[in-house]
Amino acid sequence: MTTDSSPAPFSVLGLAPVIPVVVLDDAADAAPLARALVAGGLPAVEVTLRTPAALDAIRAIAAEVPDAVVGAGTVLNAEAVDAAAAAGARFLVSPGTTDRLRAAMDASGLPYLPGVSTVSEAMGLLERGVTEMKFFPAEAAGGVAYLKSLGSPLPRARFCPTGGVTAESAPRYLALPNVGCVGGTWMLPKAALAAKDWATVTKLAGEAAALGGTR
């Protein structure tokens, strides 16, 4: 799956208790934003492929912020997998999973979190040896109670719930043994990003990172 020159694989779920989900319209903001998140204790940065600036943002973080582990989110097809990998993404995240997409992510050699929202989807990935998944959209798909109910029948599956997770609900997710981390945007308030108020981002990132100490 990987070549001898590829970085050693790692667990995306083990990078930090919270993965910031970043949407950027200006790639010039990417590096300072990533530095602010890293300074607060959140090294994993998921840049979603939702804007024209996304790939340039990934390139900037990969080149300029060595302490960050930049990933690509909203990966929908094989072309996006290739583009994200070429830009320097170190992990991949998808909102859902198809056989073609899973195969492309697997072939990339990068760690990835394929999206699931049902038991059958999770079982399908487990059959293929994939044990780490994104649970999306977390709140709309059943939230903490749903994930708790999956623990006994699917003991090998571990999740990163994303979608509607807040600073208040994150500790309840993180208390579950089958949750490795959560994804969220609450440490990235729009007003702070618009004002390039990186100090506020660092402060909120620090509070999010501290949630790991409650586990």
Side-chain angles (χ1 to χ4, degrees):
M1 185 167 113
T2 59
T3 65
D4 291 340
S5 61
S6 298
F10 56 87
S11 167
V12 179
L13 299 186
L15 291 171
V18 179
I19 297 180
V21 180
V22 177
V23 180
L24 284 171
D25 293 311
D26 187 349
D29 291 337
L33 175 60
R35 292 189 190 100
L37 291 169
V38 170
L42 299 181
V45 182
E46 177 189 334
V47 178
T48 61
L49 302 183
R50 302 180 190 175
T51 68
L55 290 173
D56 284 338
I58 291 171
R59 290 188 189 95
I61 296 171
E64 301 175 36
V65 193
D67 291 334
V69 182
V70 64
T74 320
V75 175
L76 302 180
N77 51 48
E79 292 75 19
V81 170
D82 292 341
R90 295 178 58 190
F91 64 91
L92 306 169
V93 184
S94 65
T97 312
T98 67
D99 286 341
R100 290 183 63 187
L101 176 58
R102 182 202 55 77
M105 291 193 292
D106 196 50
S108 75
L110 297 174
Y112 60 90
L113 293 177
V116 300
S117 61
T118 70
V119 176
S120 294
E121 290 169 333
M123 289 174 62
L125 288 169
L126 289 171
E127 284 183 350
R128 293 165 173 80
V130 179
T131 60
E132 297 191 350
M133 311 169 197
K134 172 180 177 175
F135 178 58
F136 178 84
E139 286 292 290
V144 173
Y146 188 93
L147 279 180
K148 183 177 181 180
S149 72
L150 297 186
S152 294
L154 303 179
R156 292 193 300 129
R158 298 183 70 235
F159 300 94
C160 173
T162 306
V165 180
T166 65
E168 291 71 33
S169 64
R172 294 193 292 274
Y173 282 103
L174 291 168
L176 299 177
N178 60 346
V179 168
C181 65
V182 300
T185 61
W186 72 86
M187 73 298 299
L188 304 166
K190 291 182 179 180
L193 298 188
K196 304 187 191 302
D197 181 2
W198 309 127
T200 291
V201 173
T202 294
K203 175 180 179 294
L204 294 174
E207 294 171 359
L211 296 176
T214 66
R215 306 195 66 183

